[in-house]
């Protein structure tokens, strides 16, 4: 479904991504873990062209793209099939929960207002926020805002959803609701790439784990095998530090 070959990204003189290769199959739930500064978020942002790669090749749905020379129309076409959930929610502060979901459907995809509202209400019900459709982000908790953001991502019927540390800005008591929702998406077969520091999610929900350090993928494998028997000494040291 998605392949990346020899991805490189620098900011000034600092090389942040140093030749990453990965392959994602339909239905995969991939947890990207590693210490701070290892390039996890930059990798995810390059995959959705929020950052421009210096070098690299993407194969998406059978099409091959040079990631350093992407045309705007190709970026938009790929984004039609993907969605991105940010760690800080990234909601429109002047729009209600319902409007945050309908805006992209109406403006970006030409869906009628009535159809967009029907879909948004169904999604708000799915994420447990039917009674909050008229609330603005300032009146929602962090966990509720993130669930609205996930509903917005789901509205586009994406083939892949990218999650950038979706619970890192949440208080511990709000984290579980978001993780439970992501677990439901995984059970429904949604393909997801999740940068996360939640090791229990990576171990129990993801089917694959990518461990990054220093801008490189150090180890990748099936989640249960990785947590039971990490092969690389750097992976072992990281898991000891996270007490998994």
């Amino acid at each position: 479904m998605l392949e990346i070959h020899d991805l490189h990204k620098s900011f000034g003189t600092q090389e942040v991504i140093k030749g990453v290769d990965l392959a994602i199959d339909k239905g995969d739930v991939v947890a990207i873990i590693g210490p701070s500064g290892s390039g996890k978020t930059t990798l995810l942002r390059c995959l959705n062209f929020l950052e421009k790669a210096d070098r690299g090749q993407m194969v998406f749905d059978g099409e091959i793209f040079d990631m350093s020379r992407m045309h705007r129309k190709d970026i938009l076409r790929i984004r039609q099939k993907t969605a991105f959930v940010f760690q800080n929610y990234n909601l429109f502060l002047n729009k209600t929960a319902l409007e945050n979901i309908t805006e992209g459907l109406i403006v970006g995809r030409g869906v009628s207002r009535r159809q967009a509202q029907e879909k948004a209400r169904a999604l708000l019900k799915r994420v447990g926020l039917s009674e909050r459709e008229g609330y603005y982000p300032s009146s929602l908790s962090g966990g509720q805002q993130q669930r609205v953001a996930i509903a917005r991502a789901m509205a586009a019927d994406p083939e892949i959803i990218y999650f950038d540390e979706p619970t890192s800005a949440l208080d511990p008591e709000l984290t579980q609701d978001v993780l439970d929702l992501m677990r439901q998406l995984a059970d429904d077969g949604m393909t997801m790439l999740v940068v996360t520091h939640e090791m229990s999610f990576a171990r129990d929900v993801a089917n694959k784990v990518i461990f990054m350090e220093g801008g490189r993928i150090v180890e990748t494998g099936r989640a249960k095998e990785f947590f039971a028997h990490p092969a690389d000494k750097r992976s072992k040291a990281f898991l000891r530090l996270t007490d998994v």
Side-chain angles (χ1 to χ4, degrees), residues 1 10 60 66 121 137 147 184 195 198 201 209 231 239 241-242:
M1 185 177 192
S10 296
F60 187 81
D66 181 343
R121 288 192 172 105
R147 282 187 278 158
Q184 292 173 26
V195 171
E198 296 289 343
F201 177 89
V209 169
L239 293 181
L241 286 173
T242 52

Side-chain angles (χ1 to χ4, degrees), residues 60-173:
F60 187 81
D61 275 355
E63 288 191 77
I64 301 173
F65 302 94
D66 181 343
M67 297 179 71
S68 67
R69 298 181 178 182
M70 292 293 294
H71 297 291
R72 179 172 174 78
K73 63 179 179 61
D74 289 329
I75 291 175
L76 293 175
R77 195 154 50 88
I78 291 172
R79 284 182 177 167
Q80 289 279 320
K81 301 179 181 181
T82 65
F84 200 103
V85 176
F86 298 84
Q87 56 182 292
N88 60 349
Y89 327 132
N90 215 36
L91 299 178
F92 296 113
L93 299 181
N94 63 337
K95 296 187 182 298
T96 65
L98 186 76
E99 290 167 341
N100 263 282
I101 299 171
T102 60
E103 185 76 6
L105 295 174
I106 295 169
V107 177
R109 294 174 182 261
V111 177
S112 73
R113 186 171 300 276
R114 181 184 60 80
Q115 289 176 317
Q117 289 178 342
E118 287 178 358
K119 187 166 194 176
R121 288 192 172 105
L123 287 168
L124 285 171
K125 181 178 181 180
R126 182 173 179 183
V127 302
L129 292 174
S130 291
E131 75 287 359
R132 295 287 193 271
E133 71 168 54
Y135 284 51
Y136 290 90
S138 60
S139 299
L140 299 172
S141 70
Q144 289 170 336
Q145 290 184 64
Q146 193 61 292
R147 282 187 278 158
V148 172
I150 293 172
R152 180 179 60 186
M154 294 161 59
D157 297 320
E159 295 181 19
I160 300 175
I161 302 181
Y162 301 114
F163 292 84
D164 181 18
E165 300 205 33
T167 61
S168 66
L170 301 180
D171 294 331
E173 62 268 22

